Amino acid sequence: MTSVPDIRIAPSILSADFATLGNEVSAIDAAGADYIHIDVMDGHFVPNITIGPSVVKALRPHSKKIFDVHLMVSPVDLFIEDFANAGSDIITVHAEAGAHTHRTLQSIKALGKKAGLALNPATPVDILENVIDMLDLVLIMTVNPGFGGQSFIPLLDKIIAARDIINTVEHPVDLQVDGGITPETAKLAIGAGANVLVAGTAVFKDGPDGYAKNIQLLRGEQ
Ligand code: DX5
Ligand code: ZN
């Protein structure tokens, strides 16, 4: 078995069975997920509605793994504390979600949580430069957010540029890619410098019996 070191897999529970979400979180934990990626959509910033802090809180006892909460919410500041108290470990907000990204990141850090910044496909990567000191995670969206099951947009130069910016600081910063990740596109993203792969469809598509195998495939294991 060959493996790629230091690659972390973050299954997106957006593709899980919402009728039994606690069991789904336990199942991906047991199947080898590194992070539990939780997509929060508000019906305003993106044209879909998913889950709120009470669901995150209800899921928390189902896994000790990192809860990686991706907020597709605008305005977002009002909700940061609720998601922090619900048991989030990483809180990622969108650069496009408000005028005061720096303040939002400050509030996440003040609550003792790791802070992530997500960039939509059309958002220039240099927006990272003035906030990289505050970030624990950079999320490059490789689909337009709102839905699972979309095709990967090959923004490889952007992932490379984000890695270059991350390499200007001493502290560890995850470079996460989200949208259309399959074993094939995972290789492209890793080659460009990503170290955390979000995947919904590619993990959940075969039902619980396939979770462990599908996570291994995303890691590059045979
Ligand atoms: C999209 C979400 C993604 C999505 C990924 O707005 O942020 O996390 O669930 O789904 P797949 O892997 O199916 O593209
Ligand atoms: Zn996501």
Side-chain angles (χ1 to χ4, degrees), residues 54-174:
S54 58
V55 177
V56 175
K57 186 175 179 189
L59 294 175
R60 188 65 272 190
H62 291 264
S63 174
K64 291 188 166 58
K65 300 238 167 117
I66 292 166
F67 270 24
D68 165 32
V69 177
H70 177 191
L71 298 181
M72 287 159 274
V73 174
S74 175
V76 71
D77 289 4
L78 276 175
F79 300 99
I80 299 290
E81 192 166 358
D82 287 347
F83 281 101
N85 291 339
S88 307
D89 296 299
I90 305 170
I91 298 178
T92 296
V93 297
H94 268 262
E96 309 83 5
H100 303 291
T101 301
H102 189 279
R103 178 184 292 150
T104 304
L105 295 171
Q106 278 180 319
S107 71
I108 297 170
K109 301 296 282 186
L111 289 161
K113 303 300 178 181
K114 292 194 169 171
L117 188 64
L119 307 187
N120 279 337
T123 301
V125 75
D126 18 335
I127 199 165
L128 295 171
E129 285 171 7
N130 291 312
V131 289
I132 193 68
D133 287 345
M134 310 170 73
L135 296 179
D136 302 290
L137 181 148
V138 168
L139 169 50
I140 302 296
M141 292 301 302
T142 43
V143 296
N144 288 295
F147 303 95
Q150 303 181 77
S151 296
F152 182 78
I153 302 168
L155 298 166
L156 301 177
D157 289 347
K158 187 174 182 179
I159 299 168
I160 292 167
R163 173 54 69 190
D164 286 345
I165 294 169
I166 288 170
N167 285 345
T168 65
V169 294
E170 296 291 325
H171 70 281
V173 182
D174 280 339

Side-chain angles (χ1 to χ4, degrees), residues 4-10 34-35 136-138 159 163 166 172-177 186 189-198 218-219:
V4 180
D6 295 318
I7 299 302
R8 288 175 227 152
I9 307 299
D34 298 296
Y35 297 178
D136 302 290
L137 181 148
V138 168
I159 299 168
R163 173 54 69 190
I166 288 170
V173 182
D174 280 339
L175 180 49
Q176 185 176 70
V177 174
I190 292 165
N195 72 305
V196 185
L197 306 173
V198 176
L218 290 168
R219 280 189 211 285

Side-chain angles (χ1 to χ4, degrees), residues 12 14 37-41 70 72 139 141 176 178-179 198:
S12 163
L14 186 62
H37 186 83
I38 302 175
D39 285 309
V40 176
M41 303 186 183
H70 177 191
M72 287 159 274
L139 169 50
M141 292 301 302
Q176 185 176 70
D178 184 2
V198 176

